[in-house]
Amino acid sequence: MIFSIAKEEREIFTIIEEEATKLGYPAFVVGGFVRDRLLGRQTKDMDIVCVGDGIKLAEAVASRLNPIPRVVFYSRFGTAMLKHWDIEVEFVGARKESYRQDSRNPDVEFGSFEDDQNRRDFTINALAVSLNQYNFGEIIDSFGGLRHLEEKIIITPLDPNRTFSDDPLRMLRAIRFSTQLQFDIAPKTLASIKENKSRILIISKERITTELEKILASPKPSIGFNLLFDTGLLQLILPELAALQGVETKKGKSHKDNFYHTLEVVDNLCKKSDNIWLRWAALFHDIAKPPTKRFEPEIGWTFHGHEALGAAMLPRIFKKLKLPLDHKLKYVQKLVLYHLRPISLTKEQVTDAAIRRLIFDAEEDLDDLLMLCEADITSKNLNKVNKYLEGYELVRQKVKAVSESDRIRLWQPPITGEIIMDTFKIPPSKEVGIIKTAIREAILDGNIPNEHDAAFELMLQEGAKLGLKRG
Ligand code: ATP
Ligand code: MG
């Protein structure tokens, strides 16, 4: 089968083919680029494997491009990278890897193209396109990846136990691809993840978090988090979240399963927002429910203070996941801390002061907070859902009304009482107030611009109406 090469790629593919031929290296486009193109997904990174020195090939290709790009080396890995237009092209020599039990860092040696294909994680990531003269553009499918793309299935090219024990990060990658592409993981591959799950502990937190973040950035993250839980990986990498799972019943009273509730909230939110930090906030909004859970015979299950404890737990969780400890953490903490506040404002007769406090506390993140609150409605009872939604709409209206009246209250017109008193040589009096109000109303109604000269002119007119003369 021939790969359909887009117009904008033909130039670089042809140059790679010509330079690789000169150097005597067989060359191929491999991995994610081929997969994503066949699926019609956007890709910005392209991996080129050659049987030879990847750095030499990168330099030869760069010298042919216009403008000549800078080539970045990673000599330790024998890779080189250049950027052409907005595509990042990475060059690497074909290699063979062997792994030791205690580390994910492989011993690398040069290998054949087949060796290189064998170390790929999934069949859909082991497709390659030839950049060689004799079969330029032909798809090389050593493990049935084309069929698996069609069948929407994630499966390892070799025995999954070997693939996963060689590099346990691949277990997370399987779940991440399953979430991004909405593909199933083949039963044997999935069983092997369960079996090898504890090997994940040798992987660095940064790499784990990168995969978690990609799951969270997908259209329906619950697919991934359910798989993480079912395979037992979540219990190892984020036990605080796994602890939300389960329902307890006492004296005929049960609470909801807070894990599945959380995943529903995350999915709901993802339909409304791409903001990854808001998505983290949704994932963590009930994180302190397990440690605050109490059974009170009169009321049933309660989780008093889970919002404050949740916010307090976040710095440790962020640190563990190597997430940033800056304003992004503060933002997520703020949303977790206040996620119950808007609902309380839909219930009682709410004072302006309570609304003002919400505006003050949430600052510029108030819209995001309300979005989180709306996503938090997971009731299956449509009447209840509508009641909550109306409540939040009312909160939004009150926020608007209070902000507007505050703006007017705090707003200073260009002509002050002192100027009026000084101009007409009058003491503080009712007339000063009448003139000030007339100026403010004229500006708010848009009859005069909010400027000194126009306001001064109007002051003189209003003064004349009151029989005042300029002193
Ligand atoms: P994305 O770019 O969306 O993260 P990708 O599949 O392109 O997905 P990359 O990290 O860009 O992932 O890697 C490119 C290719 O390298 C993959 O398609 C795969 O063939 C191979 N690869 C990457 N990481 C691994 C790994 N941990 N084990 C085996 N093969 C891998
Ligand atoms: Mg990629």
Side-chain angles (χ1 to χ4, degrees):
M1 196 171 134
I2 294 292
F3 185 73
S4 87
I5 298 171
K7 241 191 1 243
E8 60 273 22
E9 286 141 24
R10 185 157 288 277
E11 181 209 8
I12 187 148
F13 282 172
T14 306
I15 292 175
I16 295 171
E17 183 264 303
E18 289 170 5
E19 293 307 315
T21 304
K22 275 193 226 159
L23 288 163
Y25 299 162
F28 308 84
V29 196
V30 298
F33 181 86
V34 181
R35 176 200 68 220
D36 286 342
R37 266 305 147 83
L38 291 169
L39 288 172
R41 293 174 91 225
Q42 283 282 342
T43 26
K44 291 254 177 281
D45 57 333
M46 183 192 286
D47 293 290
I48 307 294
V49 167
C50 67
V51 186
D53 185 340
I55 297 177
K56 262 195 193 150
L57 179 60
E59 279 175 334
V61 170
S63 69
R64 295 269 314 270
L65 294 169
N66 187 13
I68 295 179
R70 206 159 57 92
V71 178
V72 184
F73 305 96
Y74 306 93
S75 45
R76 195 156 72 89
F77 302 104
T79 60
M81 219 254 310
L82 59 82
K83 211 166 169 177
H84 183 55
W85 305 123
D86 57 349
I87 305 178
E88 285 187 355
V89 193
E90 194 172 303
F91 293 81
V92 62
R95 41 181 141 163
K96 187 177 176 157
E97 284 171 2
S98 58
Y99 291 81
R100 291 189 308 267
Q101 268 298 306
D102 57 339
S103 159
R104 82 169 290 274
N105 297 325
D107 297 321
V108 182
E109 37 181 301
F110 288 114
S112 65
F113 178 64
E114 283 69 37
D115 291 331
D116 201 89
Q117 288 294 85
N118 281 335
R119 68 180 185 88
R120 305 271 150 190
D121 49 3
F122 306 110
T123 60
I124 58 166
N125 288 347
L127 291 161
V129 174
S130 163
L131 298 181
N132 304 298
Q133 227 166 14
Y134 70 96
N135 62 348
F136 187 82
E138 195 175 304
I139 297 178
I140 298 153
D141 177 13
S142 320
F143 304 104
L146 285 172
R147 203 183 74 229
H148 299 141
L149 273 184
E150 197 102 327
E151 291 171 354
K152 297 178 179 287
I153 206 158
I154 290 164
I155 185 164
T156 55
L158 309 175
D159 171 15
N161 284 331
R162 172 164 163 211
T163 301
F164 292 137
S165 98
D166 277 355
D167 177 4
L169 183 74
R170 294 169 181 164
M171 300 189 282
L172 288 184
R173 283 175 56 93
I175 292 174
R176 186 256 287 192
F177 287 120
S178 169
T179 315
Q180 285 179 322
L181 306 175
Q182 311 213 349
F183 279 23
D184 284 331
I185 300 176
K188 267 196 188 155
T189 300
L190 191 61
S192 172
I193 296 179
K194 287 183 189 162
E195 207 173 301
N196 289 285
K197 63 176 186 223
S198 52
R199 297 266 298 151
I200 200 68
L201 297 170
I202 66 166
I203 299 294
S204 80
K205 282 289 186 294
E206 286 88 345
R207 292 172 148 261
I208 291 177
T209 300
T210 302
E211 295 302 322
L212 287 180
E213 203 146 44
K214 286 185 176 174
I215 291 172
L216 202 53
S218 303
K220 202 173 173 217
S222 64
I223 299 172
F225 285 100
N226 274 315
L227 281 167
L228 288 173
F229 186 85
D230 294 343
T231 53
L233 283 167
L234 194 65
Q235 291 79 339
L236 295 168
I237 59 182
L238 199 46
E240 297 86 348
L241 191 66
L244 288 169
Q245 199 268 359
V247 176
E248 210 175 325
T249 307
K250 246 186 204 175
K251 302 202 168 136
K253 287 178 180 161
S254 313
H255 60 79
K256 68 181 163 206
D257 185 308
N258 289 304
F259 181 63
Y260 298 111
H261 163 72
T262 292
L263 298 189
E264 237 183 300
V265 176
V266 172
D267 283 354
N268 283 345
L269 183 90
C270 292
K271 289 183 203 136
K272 298 277 163 64
S273 171
D274 288 339
N275 176 347
I276 192 74
W277 300 105
L278 184 50
R279 290 178 174 208
W280 280 114
L283 189 70
F284 289 139
H285 79 285
D286 277 346
I287 198 72
K289 276 199 168 172
T292 54
K293 183 163 104 172
R294 302 274 176 279
F295 185 77
E296 297 178 31
E298 304 295 304
I299 315 166
W301 296 99
T302 64
F303 303 91
H304 290 308
H306 75 272
E307 67 284 19
L309 183 63
M313 282 166 71
L314 286 178
R316 206 173 45 79
I317 295 177
F318 266 52
K319 199 166 168 203
K320 195 174 69 173
L321 293 177
K322 309 274 189 227
L323 284 167
L325 300 173
D326 56 10
H327 61 279
K328 295 183 182 104
L329 166 63
K330 289 260 170 324
Y331 166 86
V332 177
Q333 281 185 296
K334 191 201 262 184
L335 293 174
V336 171
L337 179 62
Y338 296 135
H339 82 269
L340 295 178
R341 185 80 81 73
I343 188 85
S344 69
L345 301 182
T346 65
K347 277 177 189 153
E348 340 129 23
Q349 205 46 35
V350 179
T351 61
D352 280 5
I355 295 281
R356 198 167 286 125
R357 206 161 301 130
L358 174 72
I359 298 171
F360 179 79
D361 287 336
E363 300 161 293
E364 71 277 14
D365 304 317
L366 186 54
D367 280 341
D368 291 356
L369 179 63
L370 286 167
M371 223 190 298
L372 173 62
C373 291
E374 283 170 351
D376 200 3
I377 307 170
T378 57
S379 167
K380 296 287 166 279
N381 177 336
L382 217 63
N383 284 334
K384 265 193 182 170
V385 171
N386 285 332
K387 211 185 89 218
Y388 286 133
L389 286 176
E390 277 165 27
Y392 289 133
E393 199 39 51
L394 208 67
V395 172
R396 278 204 172 85
Q397 283 168 16
K398 285 182 188 156
V399 163
K400 203 162 163 238
V402 170
S403 322
E404 254 154 38
S405 72
D406 282 4
R407 189 173 58 81
I408 290 163
R409 199 165 48 80
L410 301 172
W411 176 71
Q412 286 296 333
I415 294 294
T416 61
E418 280 80 67
I419 299 176
I420 299 169
M421 290 187 284
D422 196 50
T423 308
F424 297 113
K425 299 284 178 268
I426 52 172
S429 56
K430 201 173 73 186
E431 283 76 10
V432 178
I434 294 172
I435 297 172
K436 261 177 78 174
T437 305
I439 294 172
R440 192 185 67 201
E441 290 302 309
I443 292 173
L444 285 177
D445 288 344
N447 294 334
I448 63 164
N450 185 7
E451 285 162 12
H452 173 271
D453 289 3
F456 196 86
E457 191 56 39
L458 185 68
M459 172 191 73
L460 293 178
Q461 289 169 20
E462 291 297 320
K465 278 192 216 160
L466 296 168
L468 300 173
K469 283 204 186 79
R470 217 173 153 168

